[in-house]
Amino acid sequence: MSTISISNRNKLALLLIPWSLAACPRQSEQKPDTSLPLPPASATAAETSAPGVSSVTAPAAASSELPRAFAQLGGRCDEVDGGASDATMMCSASGEIVGIWVPVDYVKGVPPAAEIIREEPRRDVAPGRSLTVALEGERLWIQAVSCGACRRIMGHAFVGLLPRLTEKQLQSVQQRIGIPETPVLSNADQWRDYYRDRPLPPLPDGATPIQPSP
């Protein structure tokens, strides 16, 4: 049987290979979501921060790529064009974009990896008003449809960074989807607790359950 002799210098080189590989992490390349329409970059109304920011731990890493309509989340408010836009930005005291509202048909639902904590009304009702609330780490996702049967689906979609939204900003989000302004739901667990075991509201006026096909 033949044997292979390795010199001390070669042994040292072999030992250093894993360290050199670890020092050069592979860089991932993010590809933009070109399947969704991109709204203009500016905001119609920027909500600035107020004193009383909730003290919450840093958000867990979100796994999904942001749709193009929400691509400016985490960016700078002062870099947004001041012209007319369909998007509404929420800004922190430091000038970071921490929440974005866009027309609901600019995005296609919530990310598949997100945890849906509320869907109303039930799936067995006619198209009309609906609400989906989901969490992905400390990202809050909302799809609020006001007219699902219209030629263009009407309503608004939202994504926000819960630990960085102020109480005032959170109150405006809650009010917009029919939640009382108090208590302020400032983290993911509080949103889960609010909807846990809470009965669904009655069907919208004129909506009737869809009968299954025979």
Side-chain angles (χ1 to χ4, degrees), residues 115 117-118 135 179 183 185 187-199:
E115 170 196 359
I117 60 173
R118 186 66 162 186
L135 296 166
I179 297 178
L185 308 178
N187 60 56
D189 286 339
Q190 290 175 358
W191 280 87
R192 290 188 189 94
D193 291 343
Y194 178 83
Y195 280 122
R196 184 176 290 117
D197 301 325
R198 186 173 294 270

Side-chain angles (χ1 to χ4, degrees), residues 77-97:
C77 288
D78 54 10
E79 295 177 359
V80 175
D81 185 3
S85 170
D86 291 331
T88 300
M89 309 293 182
M90 289 181 169
C91 301
S92 70
S94 62
E96 179 188 15
I97 299 172

Side-chain angles (χ1 to χ4, degrees), residues 194-214:
Y194 178 83
Y195 280 122
R196 184 176 290 117
D197 301 325
R198 186 173 294 270
L200 289 171
L203 300 182
D205 292 342
T208 56
I210 296 175
Q211 299 299 321
S213 301

Side-chain angles (χ1 to χ4, degrees), residues 40-211:
S42 58
T44 52
E47 295 193 39
T48 56
S49 293
V53 179
S54 303
S55 176
V56 187
T57 56
S63 59
S64 66
E65 183 179 355
L66 286 167
R68 291 185 66 193
F70 293 141
Q72 295 182 88
L73 186 70
R76 300 293 306 171
C77 288
D78 54 10
E79 295 177 359
V80 175
D81 185 3
S85 170
D86 291 331
T88 300
M89 309 293 182
M90 289 181 169
C91 301
S92 70
S94 62
E96 179 188 15
I97 299 172
V98 294
I100 304 176
W101 286 100
V102 297
V104 72
D105 60 345
Y106 278 27
V107 293
K108 297 179 179 179
V110 300
E115 170 196 359
I116 296 177
I117 60 173
R118 186 66 162 186
E119 275 191 316
E120 57 182 63
R122 298 177 297 276
R123 291 183 179 274
D124 61 349
V125 301
R129 293 178 176 271
S130 65
L131 173 67
T132 301
V133 181
L135 296 166
E136 186 190 15
E138 290 289 351
R139 263 187 203 164
L140 175 66
W141 295 87
I142 294 173
Q143 292 270 300
V145 177
S146 57
C147 183
C150 294
R151 177 174 296 181
R152 176 183 177 181
I153 298 176
M154 305 300 292
H156 290 86
F158 175 79
V159 65
L161 303 173
L162 282 174
R164 303 177 195 174
L165 290 164
T166 65
E167 290 187 1
K168 182 179 179 180
Q169 290 168 341
L170 285 166
Q171 286 173 335
S172 72
V173 171
Q174 292 174 206
Q175 183 182 40
R176 194 162 188 171
I177 62 173
I179 297 178
E181 292 184 5
T182 55
V184 176
L185 308 178
S186 58
N187 60 56
D189 286 339
Q190 290 175 358
W191 280 87
R192 290 188 189 94
D193 291 343
Y194 178 83
Y195 280 122
R196 184 176 290 117
D197 301 325
R198 186 173 294 270
L200 289 171
L203 300 182
D205 292 342
T208 56
I210 296 175
Q211 299 299 321

